[in-house]
């Protein structure tokens, strides 16, 4: 039941315990109890709203920053990751395989905001060896939700004789 509840909530966090119970064929009390247990165990860590910023009246920029670091003795990558995720701009930090150690996702109002973060906050950290910044130009799908769906419009150019 736990996995089923999580799957339903991941797709739509607005579902009520009653709606989940009906879909799973269990009691509402069982669903409420299981959700409470998962919150206590920090399996459910929070509830977020997915916003399509392209449709909002706000300029918003997302950047993905690849970071190469020197892991600290006894702490590995955890210590530097903790320092990085404490910055307000940081939305996510992931330990990665490949050429870079960490991927940091940040949000800002402008390229200048992102540049300031990288040059004045991230790069000066003692363990940071190098960074590579990539800007998100357009989001097509985010957290399993298709954004800017065109309703089946075919974007190909019409060619006729």
């Amino acid at each position: 039941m736990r996995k089923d509840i999580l799957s339903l909530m991941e797709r739509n966090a607005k579902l009520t315990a009653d709606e989940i119970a009906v879909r799973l064929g269990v009691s509402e009390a069982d669903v409420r109890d299981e959700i409470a247990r998962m919150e206590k165990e920090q399996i459910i860590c929070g509830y977020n709203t997915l916003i399509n910023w392209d449709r909002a009246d706000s300029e918003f920029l997302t950047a993905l920053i690849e970071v190469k670091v020197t892991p600290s003795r006894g702490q590995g990558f955890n210590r530097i990751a903790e320092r990085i995720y404490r910055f307000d701009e940081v939305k996510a930090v992931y330990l990665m395989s490949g050429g870079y150690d960490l991927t940091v996702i940040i949000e800002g109002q402008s390229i200048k905001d992102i540049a300031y973060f990288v040059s004045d906050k991230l790069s000066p950290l003692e363990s940071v060896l190098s960074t590579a910044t990539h800007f998100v130009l357009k989001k097509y799908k985010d957290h399993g939700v298709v954004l800017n769906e065109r309703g089946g419009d075919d974007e190909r150019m019409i060619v006729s004789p």
Side-chain angles (χ1 to χ4, degrees):
M1 177 171 71
R2 184 173 269 206
K3 185 177 178 184
D4 294 330
I5 292 171
L6 291 172
S7 293
L8 288 170
M9 290 181 72
E10 185 176 41
R11 278 181 267 155
N12 184 357
K14 288 181 70 173
L15 288 175
T16 66
D18 183 48
E19 291 169 326
I20 294 170
V22 168
R23 290 184 186 196
L24 299 180
V26 297
S27 76
E28 182 180 350
D30 287 345
V31 170
R32 285 189 193 284
D33 291 345
E34 190 61 33
I35 290 171
R37 278 193 291 278
M38 289 189 287
E39 289 171 342
K40 185 176 181 181
E41 295 171 25
Q42 291 189 332
I43 293 169
I44 297 175
C45 300
Y47 300 89
N48 292 307
T49 302
L50 180 61
I51 299 169
N52 185 346
W53 287 105
D54 289 342
R55 293 194 179 190
D57 290 336
S58 175
E59 291 296 318
F60 211 68
L61 193 60
T62 302
L64 183 147
I65 306 167
E66 297 172 317
V67 185
K68 194 175 284 192
V69 300
T70 302
S72 61
R73 185 177 298 236
Q75 294 287 316
F77 295 99
N78 295 341
R79 190 166 143 238
I80 186 66
E82 288 172 7
R83 280 207 58 204
I84 293 169
Y85 71 59
R86 293 189 189 282
F87 290 114
D88 290 337
E89 299 90 339
V90 174
K91 300 303 173 192
V93 177
Y94 304 107
L95 179 62
M96 306 297 291
S97 63
Y100 287 87
D101 303 307
L102 300 172
T103 295
V104 179
I105 299 174
I106 69 168
E107 294 175 344
Q109 296 294 318
S110 67
I111 290 176
K112 188 175 182 178
D113 288 345
I114 305 293
Y116 170 78
F117 173 80
V118 173
S119 66
D120 290 10
K121 293 183 177 182
L122 183 61
S123 293
L125 294 176
E126 187 177 311
S127 299
V128 173
L129 300 174
S130 65
T131 65
T133 303
H134 309 275
F135 293 96
V136 174
L137 302 177
K138 182 176 181 176
K139 292 182 182 180
Y140 294 98
K141 187 174 184 178
D142 195 0
H143 291 83
V145 176
V146 175
L147 306 173
N148 299 320
E149 196 159 23
R150 297 183 57 104
D153 289 349
D154 193 343
E155 293 183 19
R156 295 176 291 180
M157 182 175 16
I158 297 173
V159 178
S160 61

